[in-house]
Amino acid sequence: MSLNLLLRINSGFWLTLGLVMLLKTDVVNLWIGTEKTMLIHSIGIILVVNGMILLVTSLRQQIKPHEVMFFVLGDYGWSLLIIVLISLGAVIVDPLGIRLTFVLALLSAILGAFQFRHYKQLKGRA
């Protein structure tokens, strides 16, 4: 899979998740078992911005290694944050929300791993 396509898929993932958090905040709060409207909105905005940056980057012919690493760190960071929140029983407390967010964290980590493979190729370490 080309890096450009991978970045577009990742962009779609973050744009969708961010828009759901912005437009369906009550549903997200219900799923995770808390009432953190401002937190969910703030994270939704960050995810939409990240998705847009991914999309713009994916449209370029030459993508720099440090740009790919930025997205890798974002994907891995999201996954780690979700696992920490689940482990602490903070914010994400509903059993359905735990399962759902764990699956999203896993998808994020998988996307990060695929991007990391491209990063290594760009750096000549594949």
Side-chain angles (χ1 to χ4, degrees), residues 34-78:
T34 58
E35 193 64 35
K36 306 281 186 193
T37 302
M38 288 302 293
L39 176 65
I40 300 301
H41 276 170
S42 300
I43 293 171
I45 291 168
I46 292 167
L47 297 183
V48 167
V49 169
N50 184 55
M52 293 179 76
I53 293 169
L54 269 158
L55 183 59
V56 169
T57 302
S58 76
L59 296 173
R60 293 201 328 262
Q61 291 297 324
Q62 294 293 328
I63 300 169
K64 298 180 175 123
H66 71 274
E67 294 171 318
V68 178
M69 183 52 77
F70 173 79
F71 299 126
V72 168
L73 293 174
D75 285 334
Y76 286 162
W78 176 264

Side-chain angles (χ1 to χ4, degrees), residues 26 28-36 40 90-94:
D26 293 336
V28 173
N29 279 327
L30 182 66
W31 282 345
I32 63 175
T34 58
E35 193 64 35
K36 306 281 186 193
I40 300 301
V91 182
I92 305 166
V93 295
D94 187 79

Side-chain angles (χ1 to χ4, degrees), residues 12-22 28 44 47-48 78 104:
F13 176 74
W14 293 118
L15 285 170
T16 301
L17 187 56
L19 288 172
V20 167
M21 294 176 99
L22 283 172
V28 173
L47 297 183
V48 167
W78 176 264
L104 293 174

